[in-house]
Coordinates of all heavy atoms in Angstrom, one line a residue:
G28 N 95.1 124.8 116.7 CA 95.5 123.5 116.2 C 95.2 123.4 114.7 O 94.7 124.3 114.1
L29 N 95.6 122.2 114.2 CA 95.4 121.9 112.8 C 93.9 121.5 112.6 O 93.5 120.7 113.4 CB 96.4 120.9 112.3 CG 97.8 121.3 112.3 CD1 98.7 120.1 111.9 CD2 98.0 122.3 111.2
R30 N 93.4 121.8 111.5 CA 92.1 121.4 111.1 C 92.3 120.1 110.3 O 93.3 119.8 109.6 CB 91.4 122.5 110.2 CG 91.2 123.8 111.0 CD 90.4 124.8 110.1 NE 89.2 124.2 109.8 CZ 88.0 124.6 110.5 NH1 88.1 125.4 111.6 NH2 86.8 124.2 110.1
P31 N 91.3 119.2 110.3 CA 91.3 118.1 109.5 C 91.5 118.3 108.0 O 91.0 119.4 107.5 CB 90.0 117.3 109.7 CG 89.5 117.9 110.9 CD 89.9 119.3 111.0
G32 N 92.2 117.5 107.3 CA 92.4 117.7 105.8 C 93.9 117.5 105.4 O 94.7 117.0 106.3
V33 N 94.2 117.9 104.2 CA 95.6 117.7 103.7 C 96.4 118.9 104.1 O 96.1 120.0 104.0 CB 95.6 117.6 102.2 CG1 97.0 117.4 101.7 CG2 94.6 116.4 101.8
H34 N 97.7 118.6 104.6 CA 98.6 119.6 105.0 C 100.0 119.2 104.5 O 100.2 118.1 104.1 CB 98.7 119.6 106.6 CG 97.4 120.0 107.2 ND1 97.1 121.4 107.4 CD2 96.4 119.3 107.7 CE1 95.9 121.4 107.9 NE2 95.5 120.1 108.2
A35 N 100.9 120.2 104.4 CA 102.3 120.0 103.9 C 103.2 120.2 105.1 O 102.9 121.0 106.0 CB 102.6 120.9 102.7
L36 N 104.4 119.5 105.1 CA 105.4 119.6 106.1 C 106.7 119.7 105.4 O 107.1 118.9 104.6 CB 105.2 118.4 107.1 CG 106.3 118.3 108.1 CD1 106.2 119.4 109.1 CD2 106.3 116.9 108.8
Q37 N 107.6 120.5 105.9 CA 108.9 120.6 105.5 C 109.8 120.9 106.8 O 109.5 121.9 107.4 CB 109.1 121.7 104.4 CG 110.7 121.7 103.9 CD 110.9 122.6 102.7 OE1 110.2 123.6 102.7 NE2 111.8 122.3 101.9
V38 N 110.9 120.1 107.0 CA 111.7 120.3 108.1 C 112.9 121.1 107.6 O 113.6 120.8 106.7 CB 112.2 119.0 108.8 CG1 113.1 119.3 109.9 CG2 111.0 118.2 109.1
M39 N 113.2 122.3 108.3 CA 114.3 123.2 108.0 C 115.3 123.3 109.3 O 114.6 123.5 110.3 CB 113.9 124.5 107.5 CG 113.2 124.5 106.2 SD 112.4 126.1 105.7 CE 113.8 127.1 105.8
Q40 N 116.5 123.1 109.1 CA 117.4 123.4 110.3 C 118.3 124.5 109.9 O 119.1 124.5 108.9 CB 118.3 122.2 110.6 CG 117.4 120.9 111.0 CD 118.3 119.8 111.1 OE1 119.5 119.8 111.2 NE2 117.6 118.7 111.5
R41 N 118.2 125.6 110.7 CA 119.1 126.8 110.5 C 120.4 126.6 111.1 O 120.6 126.0 112.1 CB 118.4 128.0 111.2 CG 117.0 128.3 110.5 CD 116.8 129.7 110.6 NE 115.4 130.0 110.0 CZ 115.4 130.4 108.8 NH1 116.4 130.7 108.0 NH2 114.1 130.6 108.2
I42 N 121.5 127.0 110.3 CA 122.9 126.9 110.6 C 123.5 128.2 110.6 O 123.3 129.0 109.7 CB 123.6 125.8 109.7 CG1 123.1 124.4 109.8 CG2 125.1 125.9 110.0 CD1 123.6 123.5 108.9
L43 N 124.3 128.5 111.6 CA 125.1 129.8 111.7 C 126.3 129.6 110.7 O 127.1 128.7 110.9 CB 125.6 130.2 113.1 CG 124.4 130.3 114.0 CD1 125.0 130.6 115.4 CD2 123.6 131.5 113.6
M44 N 126.4 130.5 109.7 CA 127.5 130.5 108.7 C 128.1 131.9 108.6 O 127.4 132.9 108.8 CB 127.0 130.0 107.3 CG 126.3 128.7 107.3 SD 125.6 128.3 105.7 CE 126.4 126.8 105.4
G45 N 129.3 131.8 108.3 CA 130.0 133.2 108.0 C 130.9 133.5 109.3 O 130.9 132.9 110.2
S46 N 131.5 134.7 109.0 CA 132.3 135.3 110.2 C 132.0 136.7 110.2 O 131.5 137.3 109.2 CB 133.8 135.0 109.9 OG 134.2 135.6 108.6
P47 N 132.2 137.3 111.4 CA 132.8 136.7 112.5 C 131.7 135.8 113.2 O 130.6 136.0 113.0 CB 133.1 137.9 113.4 CG 132.1 138.9 113.0 CD 131.9 138.8 111.5
P48 N 132.2 134.8 114.1 CA 131.3 134.0 114.8 C 130.5 134.9 115.7 O 130.9 136.0 116.1 CB 132.2 133.2 115.7 CG 133.5 133.1 114.9 CD 133.6 134.6 114.3
P49 N 129.2 134.6 115.9 CA 128.6 133.4 115.6 C 128.1 133.3 114.2 O 127.5 132.3 113.8 CB 127.4 133.3 116.6 CG 127.0 134.7 116.8 CD 128.3 135.5 116.7
G50 N 128.3 134.2 113.4 CA 127.8 134.1 111.9 C 126.4 134.5 111.8 O 125.6 135.0 112.7
T51 N 125.9 134.4 110.6 CA 124.4 134.6 110.2 C 123.6 133.4 110.0 O 124.1 132.5 109.3 CB 124.5 135.5 108.9 OG1 125.4 136.6 109.0 CG2 123.1 136.0 108.6
P52 N 122.4 133.4 110.6 CA 121.6 132.3 110.3 C 121.2 132.1 108.9 O 120.9 132.9 108.1 CB 120.2 132.5 111.1 CG 120.6 133.6 112.0 CD 121.7 134.4 111.4
H53 N 121.5 130.8 108.3 CA 121.1 130.4 107.0 C 120.2 129.1 107.0 O 120.4 128.4 107.9 CB 122.5 130.2 106.2 CG 123.2 131.4 105.8 ND1 123.0 132.2 104.7 CD2 124.3 132.0 106.5 CE1 123.8 133.2 104.7 NE2 124.5 133.1 105.7
R54 N 119.6 128.9 105.9 CA 118.9 127.6 105.7 C 119.9 126.6 105.4 O 120.6 126.6 104.3 CB 117.9 127.7 104.6 CG 116.7 128.7 105.0 CD 115.6 128.7 104.0 NE 115.8 128.3 102.6 CZ 115.1 128.4 101.6 NH1 113.9 129.1 101.8 NH2 115.2 128.0 100.4
G55 N 120.2 125.8 106.4 CA 121.2 124.7 106.2 C 120.7 123.5 105.5 O 121.1 123.3 104.4
F56 N 119.9 122.7 106.2 CA 119.5 121.5 105.7 C 117.9 121.6 105.6 O 117.2 122.0 106.5 CB 119.9 120.3 106.5 CG 121.3 120.1 106.7 CD1 122.1 120.5 107.7 CD2 122.0 119.5 105.6 CE1 123.4 120.4 107.9 CE2 123.3 119.2 105.7 CZ 124.0 119.7 106.9
E57 N 117.4 121.1 104.4 CA 116.0 121.1 104.2 C 115.5 119.7 103.8 O 116.2 119.1 103.0 CB 115.6 122.2 103.1 CG 115.8 123.5 103.6 CD 115.4 124.5 102.4 OE1 114.7 124.0 101.5 OE2 115.7 125.7 102.5
S58 N 114.4 119.2 104.2 CA 113.9 118.0 103.8 C 113.0 118.3 102.6 O 112.7 119.4 102.2 CB 113.0 117.4 104.9 OG 111.8 118.2 105.1
N59 N 112.6 117.2 101.9 CA 111.6 117.4 100.9 C 110.3 117.7 101.5 O 110.1 117.5 102.7 CB 111.4 116.1 100.1 CG 112.7 115.7 99.3 OD1 113.4 116.6 98.9 ND2 112.9 114.4 99.0
V60 N 109.4 118.2 100.8 CA 108.1 118.5 101.2 C 107.3 117.3 101.2 O 107.3 116.6 100.2 CB 107.4 119.7 100.4 CG1 105.9 119.9 100.8 CG2 108.2 120.9 100.4
A61 N 106.6 116.9 102.3 CA 105.8 115.8 102.5 C 104.3 116.2 102.7 O 104.1 117.2 103.5 CB 106.3 114.9 103.5
T62 N 103.3 115.6 102.2 CA 101.9 115.9 102.5 C 101.5 114.8 103.6 O 101.9 113.6 103.6 CB 101.1 115.9 101.3 OG1 101.1 114.6 100.6 CG2 101.5 116.9 100.4
F63 N 100.5 115.2 104.3 CA 99.8 114.2 105.3 C 98.4 114.7 105.5 O 98.1 115.7 105.2 CB 100.6 114.1 106.6 CG 100.6 115.4 107.5 CD1 99.6 115.7 108.4 CD2 101.5 116.5 107.2 CE1 99.6 116.9 109.1 CE2 101.5 117.7 107.9 CZ 100.5 117.8 108.8
V64 N 97.6 113.7 105.8 CA 96.2 113.9 106.1 C 96.0 113.8 107.6 O 96.3 112.9 108.1 CB 95.3 113.0 105.2 CG1 93.9 113.3 105.5 CG2 95.6 113.1 103.7
L65 N 95.4 114.9 108.0 CA 95.0 114.8 109.5 C 93.5 114.6 109.4 O 92.7 115.2 108.9 CB 95.2 116.2 110.1 CG 94.9 116.4 111.5 CD1 95.8 115.5 112.4 CD2 95.1 117.9 112.0
R66 N 93.2 113.4 110.2 CA 91.8 113.0 110.3 C 91.4 112.9 111.7 O 92.1 112.5 112.5 CB 91.6 111.7 109.5 CG 92.4 110.6 110.0 CD 92.2 109.3 109.1 NE 93.2 108.3 109.5 CZ 92.9 107.3 110.2 NH1 91.7 107.1 110.6 NH2 93.8 106.4 110.4
P67 N 90.1 113.2 112.0 CA 89.6 113.0 113.3 C 89.6 111.6 113.7 O 89.5 110.7 113.0 CB 88.1 113.5 113.2 CG 88.0 114.2 112.0 CD 89.1 113.7 111.1
R68 N 89.8 111.4 115.0 CA 89.8 110.0 115.6 C 88.8 110.0 116.8 O 88.8 110.8 117.6 CB 91.2 109.8 116.1 CG 91.4 108.4 116.7 CD 92.9 108.2 117.0 NE 93.0 107.1 117.9 CZ 94.1 106.8 118.5 NH1 95.2 107.5 118.3 NH2 94.1 105.8 119.3
I69 N 88.0 109.0 116.7 CA 86.9 108.8 117.7 C 87.6 107.9 118.9 O 87.9 106.8 118.6 CB 85.7 108.2 117.2 CG1 85.1 109.1 116.1 CG2 84.6 107.9 118.3 CD1 83.9 108.5 115.3
N70 N 87.6 108.4 120.1 CA 88.2 107.6 121.2 C 87.1 107.0 122.0 O 87.4 106.2 122.8 CB 89.1 108.5 122.1 CG 90.3 109.0 121.3 OD1 90.9 108.2 120.6 ND2 90.7 110.2 121.6
A71 N 85.9 107.5 121.9 CA 84.8 107.0 122.7 C 84.2 105.8 122.0 O 84.2 105.7 120.7 CB 83.7 108.0 122.9
P72 N 83.6 104.8 122.7 CA 82.9 103.7 122.0 C 81.8 104.1 121.1 O 81.2 105.1 121.5 CB 82.5 102.8 123.2 CG 83.0 103.4 124.4 CD 83.6 104.8 124.2
V73 N 81.7 103.5 120.1 CA 80.6 103.7 119.2 C 79.6 102.7 119.2 O 79.8 101.5 119.2 CB 81.2 103.9 117.7 CG1 80.0 104.1 116.7 CG2 82.2 104.9 117.6
V74 N 78.3 103.1 119.4 CA 77.2 102.1 119.5 C 76.7 102.0 118.0 O 76.4 102.9 117.3 CB 76.1 102.7 120.4 CG1 74.9 101.7 120.3 CG2 76.7 102.9 121.8
V75 N 76.7 100.7 117.6 CA 76.2 100.3 116.3 C 74.9 99.6 116.4 O 74.8 98.6 117.2 CB 77.2 99.6 115.5 CG1 76.7 99.1 114.1 CG2 78.5 100.4 115.4
T76 N 73.9 100.0 115.6 CA 72.5 99.3 115.6 C 72.4 98.6 114.3 O 72.5 99.3 113.3 CB 71.5 100.3 115.8 OG1 71.7 101.0 117.1 CG2 70.1 99.7 116.0
T77 N 72.1 97.4 114.3 CA 71.8 96.7 113.1 C 70.4 97.1 112.6 O 69.4 96.8 113.4 CB 71.9 95.1 113.3 OG1 73.2 94.9 113.7 CG2 71.7 94.4 112.0
K78 N 70.2 97.7 111.4 CA 69.0 98.0 110.9 C 68.2 96.8 110.3 O 66.9 96.6 110.6 CB 69.1 99.0 109.8 CG 69.8 100.3 110.2 CD 68.9 101.2 110.9 CE 68.1 101.9 109.9 NZ 67.2 102.9 110.6
R79 N 68.9 96.0 109.6 CA 68.3 94.8 109.0 C 69.4 93.9 108.5 O 70.4 94.3 108.1 CB 67.4 95.2 107.9 CG 66.7 94.1 107.1 CD 65.7 94.6 106.1 NE 65.3 93.5 105.3 CZ 64.6 93.6 104.2 NH1 64.3 94.8 103.8 NH2 64.4 92.5 103.4
V80 N 69.1 92.6 108.5 CA 70.1 91.7 107.9 C 69.4 91.1 106.6 O 68.2 90.7 106.7 CB 70.2 90.4 108.9 CG1 71.1 89.4 108.3 CG2 70.9 91.1 110.2
F81 N 70.2 91.1 105.5 CA 69.6 90.7 104.3 C 70.2 89.3 103.9 O 71.5 89.1 104.1 CB 70.1 91.7 103.1 CG 69.3 93.0 103.2 CD1 69.8 94.0 104.0 CD2 68.2 93.1 102.5 CE1 69.3 95.2 104.0 CE2 67.5 94.3 102.6 CZ 68.0 95.4 103.3
D82 N 69.5 88.4 103.5 CA 69.9 87.1 103.1 C 70.3 87.3 101.6 O 69.5 87.7 100.8 CB 68.9 86.0 103.2 CG 69.3 84.7 102.8 OD1 70.4 84.3 103.0 OD2 68.5 84.0 102.0
V83 N 71.5 86.9 101.3 CA 72.1 87.1 99.9 C 72.2 85.7 99.2 O 73.2 85.0 99.6 CB 73.3 87.9 99.9 CG1 73.9 88.0 98.4 CG2 73.2 89.2 100.6
P84 N 71.2 85.3 98.5 CA 71.1 83.9 98.0 C 72.0 83.7 96.8 O 71.5 83.1 95.8 CB 69.7 83.6 97.8 CG 69.2 84.9 97.5 CD 69.9 85.9 98.3
L85 N 73.3 84.1 96.8 CA 74.1 84.0 95.6 C 75.2 83.0 96.0 O 75.6 82.9 97.2 CB 74.8 85.3 95.3 CG 73.7 86.4 94.9 CD1 74.4 87.7 94.6 CD2 72.9 86.0 93.7
P86 N 75.6 82.1 95.0 CA 76.6 81.0 95.2 C 77.9 81.7 95.7 O 78.4 82.8 95.3 CB 76.7 80.3 93.9 CG 76.3 81.4 92.9 CD 75.2 82.2 93.6
R87 N 78.6 80.8 96.5 CA 80.0 81.2 97.0 C 80.9 80.3 96.3 O 80.7 79.0 95.9 CB 80.1 81.1 98.4 CG 79.3 82.2 99.2 CD 79.5 82.0 100.6 NE 78.8 83.0 101.4 CZ 79.2 84.2 101.8 NH1 80.4 84.6 101.4 NH2 78.4 85.0 102.4
P88 N 82.2 80.6 96.0 CA 82.7 81.9 96.3 C 82.2 82.9 95.2 O 81.8 82.6 94.1 CB 84.2 81.7 96.0 CG 84.3 80.6 95.1 CD 83.2 79.6 95.5
R89 N 82.2 84.1 95.7 CA 81.6 85.3 94.9 C 82.7 86.0 94.2 O 83.6 86.5 94.9 CB 80.7 86.2 95.7 CG 79.5 85.4 96.3 CD 78.7 86.2 97.2 NE 77.6 85.5 97.9 CZ 77.1 85.8 98.9 NH1 77.5 86.7 99.7 NH2 76.1 85.0 99.4
N90 N 82.6 86.2 92.9 CA 83.6 87.0 92.1 C 83.0 88.5 92.1 O 82.0 88.7 91.4 CB 83.8 86.4 90.9 CG 84.7 87.2 89.9 OD1 85.0 88.3 90.2 ND2 85.3 86.5 89.0
V91 N 83.7 89.4 92.8 CA 83.2 90.7 92.8 C 83.2 91.4 91.4 O 82.4 92.4 91.3 CB 84.1 91.6 93.8 CG1 83.9 91.1 95.2 CG2 85.5 91.6 93.4
F92 N 83.9 90.9 90.5 CA 83.9 91.5 89.2 C 82.9 90.9 88.3 O 82.5 91.6 87.3 CB 85.4 91.2 88.5 CG 86.4 91.9 89.3 CD1 87.3 91.1 90.0 CD2 86.6 93.2 89.3 CE1 88.4 91.6 90.7 CE2 87.6 93.9 90.1 CZ 88.5 93.1 90.7
E93 N 82.3 89.7 88.7 CA 81.3 89.2 87.8 C 80.0 88.9 88.5 O 79.0 88.4 87.9 CB 81.8 87.7 87.4 CG 83.1 87.8 86.4 CD 82.8 88.4 85.1 OE1 81.8 88.4 84.6 OE2 83.8 89.1 84.6
I94 N 79.9 89.2 89.8 CA 78.7 89.0 90.6 C 77.4 89.5 90.0 O 76.3 89.1 90.1 CB 78.8 89.3 92.1 CG1 77.8 88.7 92.9 CG2 78.8 90.9 92.2 CD1 78.1 88.8 94.4
H95 N 77.5 90.7 89.3 CA 76.3 91.3 88.7 C 75.7 90.5 87.7 O 74.5 90.7 87.2 CB 76.7 92.8 88.2 CG 77.8 92.7 87.2 ND1 79.1 92.6 87.4 CD2 77.6 92.8 85.8 CE1 79.8 92.6 86.2 NE2 78.9 92.7 85.3
N96 N 76.4 89.6 87.1 CA 75.9 88.7 86.1 C 75.2 87.5 86.7 O 74.5 86.7 86.0 CB 77.0 88.1 85.1 CG 77.7 89.2 84.3 OD1 77.0 90.2 83.9 ND2 78.9 89.2 84.1
E97 N 75.3 87.2 88.0 CA 74.6 86.1 88.7 C 73.1 86.3 88.7 O 72.6 87.3 89.0 CB 75.2 86.0 90.1 CG 76.5 85.5 90.3 CD 76.8 84.1 89.8 OE1 75.8 83.3 89.9 OE2 77.9 83.8 89.4
P98 N 72.3 85.2 88.4 CA 70.9 85.2 88.6 C 70.5 85.6 90.0 O 71.1 85.0 91.0 CB 70.4 83.8 88.2 CG 71.6 83.2 87.5 CD 72.8 83.8 88.0
G99 N 69.7 86.5 90.2 CA 69.2 86.9 91.5 C 70.0 88.1 92.1 O 69.5 88.8 93.0
F100 N 71.1 88.5 91.4 CA 71.8 89.7 91.9 C 71.0 91.0 91.8 O 70.9 91.8 92.7 CB 73.1 89.9 91.1 CG 73.8 91.2 91.4 CD1 74.6 91.3 92.6 CD2 73.6 92.3 90.6 CE1 75.2 92.4 92.9 CE2 74.3 93.6 91.0 CZ 75.1 93.6 92.0
T101 N 70.4 91.2 90.7 CA 69.6 92.5 90.5 C 68.5 92.6 91.4 O 68.2 93.7 92.0 CB 69.0 92.5 89.0 OG1 70.1 92.4 88.1 CG2 68.2 93.8 88.8
A102 N 67.8 91.5 91.8 CA 66.7 91.6 92.7 C 67.2 91.8 94.1 O 66.6 92.8 94.8 CB 65.9 90.2 92.7
I103 N 68.3 91.3 94.6 CA 68.8 91.6 95.9 C 69.4 92.9 96.0 O 69.2 93.7 97.0 CB 69.8 90.5 96.5 CG1 70.0 90.7 98.0 CG2 71.0 90.5 95.7 CD1 68.9 90.4 98.9
Y104 N 70.0 93.4 95.0 CA 70.6 94.7 94.9 C 69.5 95.7 95.1 O 69.6 96.7 95.8 CB 71.3 94.9 93.6 CG 71.7 96.3 93.2 CD1 73.0 96.7 93.7 CD2 71.0 97.3 92.6 CE1 73.4 98.1 93.6 CE2 71.3 98.6 92.3 CZ 72.6 99.0 92.8 OH 73.0 100.3 92.7
H105 N 68.4 95.6 94.3 CA 67.3 96.6 94.4 C 66.6 96.5 95.7 O 66.2 97.6 96.2 CB 66.3 96.4 93.2 CG 66.8 96.9 91.9 ND1 67.1 98.2 91.7 CD2 67.2 96.1 90.8 CE1 67.6 98.3 90.4 NE2 67.6 97.1 89.9
E106 N 66.4 95.4 96.3 CA 65.9 95.3 97.7 C 66.7 96.0 98.7 O 66.2 96.7 99.5 CB 65.8 93.8 98.1 CG 65.1 93.6 99.4 CD 65.1 92.1 99.8 OE1 65.4 91.2 99.1 OE2 64.7 91.8 101.0
I107 N 68.0 95.8 98.7 CA 68.8 96.5 99.6 C 68.9 98.0 99.3 O 68.8 98.8 100.2 CB 70.3 96.0 99.6 CG1 70.3 94.5 100.1 CG2 71.3 96.8 100.4 CD1 71.6 93.8 99.7
W108 N 68.9 98.4 98.1 CA 69.0 99.8 97.7 C 67.7 100.5 98.1 O 67.7 101.6 98.7 CB 69.2 100.0 96.2 CG 69.2 101.4 95.8 CD1 68.3 102.0 94.9 CD2 70.0 102.5 96.2 NE1 68.6 103.3 94.8 CE2 69.7 103.6 95.5 CE3 71.1 102.6 97.1 CZ2 70.3 105.0 95.7 CZ3 71.7 103.8 97.3 CH2 71.3 105.0 96.6
Q109 N 66.5 99.9 97.9 CA 65.2 100.5 98.3 C 65.2 100.7 99.8 O 64.7 101.7 100.3 CB 64.0 99.6 97.8 CG 63.8 99.6 96.3 CD 63.6 101.0 95.7 OE1 62.8 101.7 96.2 NE2 64.3 101.3 94.6
Y110 N 65.7 99.8 100.6 CA 65.6 99.9 102.0 C 66.6 101.0 102.5 O 66.2 101.8 103.4 CB 66.2 98.6 102.6 CG 66.0 98.5 104.1 CD1 64.8 98.2 104.8 CD2 67.1 98.8 105.0 CE1 64.6 98.2 106.1 CE2 66.8 98.8 106.3 CZ 65.7 98.5 106.9 OH 65.5 98.6 108.3
F111 N 67.7 101.3 101.9 CA 68.7 102.2 102.5 C 68.8 103.6 101.7 O 69.4 104.5 102.2 CB 70.1 101.5 102.5 CG 70.3 100.6 103.6 CD1 70.4 99.3 103.3 CD2 70.3 100.9 104.9 CE1 70.6 98.3 104.3 CE2 70.4 100.0 105.9 CZ 70.6 98.7 105.7
K112 N 68.2 103.7 100.6 CA 68.4 104.9 99.7 C 68.1 106.2 100.4 O 68.7 107.2 100.2 CB 67.8 104.8 98.4 CG 66.3 104.9 98.4 CD 65.8 104.9 97.0 CE 64.2 105.1 96.9 NZ 63.7 104.9 95.6
N113 N 67.1 106.2 101.3 CA 66.7 107.4 102.0 C 67.7 107.8 103.1 O 67.7 108.9 103.6 CB 65.4 107.3 102.6 CG 64.3 107.2 101.5 OD1 64.5 107.8 100.4 ND2 63.3 106.5 101.7
E114 N 68.6 106.9 103.5 CA 69.5 107.1 104.6 C 70.8 107.4 104.0 O 71.8 108.0 104.7 CB 69.6 105.9 105.4 CG 68.4 105.6 106.2 CD 68.6 104.5 107.1 OE1 69.7 104.4 107.7 OE2 67.6 103.7 107.5
I115 N 71.1 107.3 102.8 CA 72.4 107.6 102.1 C 72.3 109.0 101.5 O 71.5 109.2 100.7 CB 72.8 106.6 101.0 CG1 72.9 105.2 101.8 CG2 74.0 106.9 100.4 CD1 73.0 104.0 100.8
K116 N 73.3 109.8 101.9 CA 73.4 111.2 101.3 C 74.4 111.2 100.2 O 75.6 110.9 100.3 CB 73.8 112.2 102.4 CG 72.7 112.3 103.5 CD 73.1 113.3 104.5 CE 71.9 113.5 105.4 NZ 72.2 113.2 106.8
I117 N 73.8 111.5 99.0 CA 74.8 111.4 97.8 C 74.8 112.9 97.3 O 73.9 113.6 97.1 CB 74.1 110.5 96.7 CG1 74.1 109.1 97.2 CG2 75.0 110.6 95.4 CD1 73.6 108.1 96.3

């Protein structure tokens, strides 16, 4: 079988050409080369455990491009990071 990752695909249809019949097989029609990514799929139910719920006391609506400028952002960011940093593999 195929392993997960990036693969290439090209469809070729051989056509008999020339004489005498049936002729010689030639590459008749070819598609462009296309890439695709094969990724694993989990069919079994996944159990998710909530480790902790953080209260984020920042005003709504929150602008994701400017939220780092909000008072209190740095404190909640560091609180969350300290809690999870040992579980995240970088």
Side-chain angles (χ1 to χ4, degrees):
L29 292 174
R30 298 182 64 97
V33 178
H34 298 274
L36 172 72
Q37 183 177 29
V38 177
M39 296 173 52
Q40 296 182 4
R41 298 209 177 262
I42 296 179
L43 298 177
M44 299 177 126
S46 58
T51 307
H53 288 274
R54 294 189 334 197
F56 298 100
E57 297 180 9
S58 70
N59 293 335
V60 174
T62 58
F63 64 96
V64 176
L65 184 64
R66 60 187 168 100
R68 183 174 160 188
I69 300 172
N70 292 325
V73 176
V74 177
V75 177
T76 304
T77 302
K78 304 276 288 184
R79 180 174 166 190
V80 176
F81 291 89
D82 181 39
V83 180
L85 300 176
R87 292 183 183 266
R89 297 174 182 154
N90 180 336
V91 296
F92 300 107
E93 300 292 330
I94 197 167
H95 61 279
N96 294 324
E97 290 288 336
F100 172 83
T101 302
I103 191 65
Y104 172 87
H105 286 296
E106 182 182 352
I107 295 169
W108 177 243
Q109 290 301 314
Y110 186 82
F111 286 110
K112 74 178 181 179
N113 294 327
E114 297 186 29
I115 299 172
K116 294 182 174 126
I117 299 177

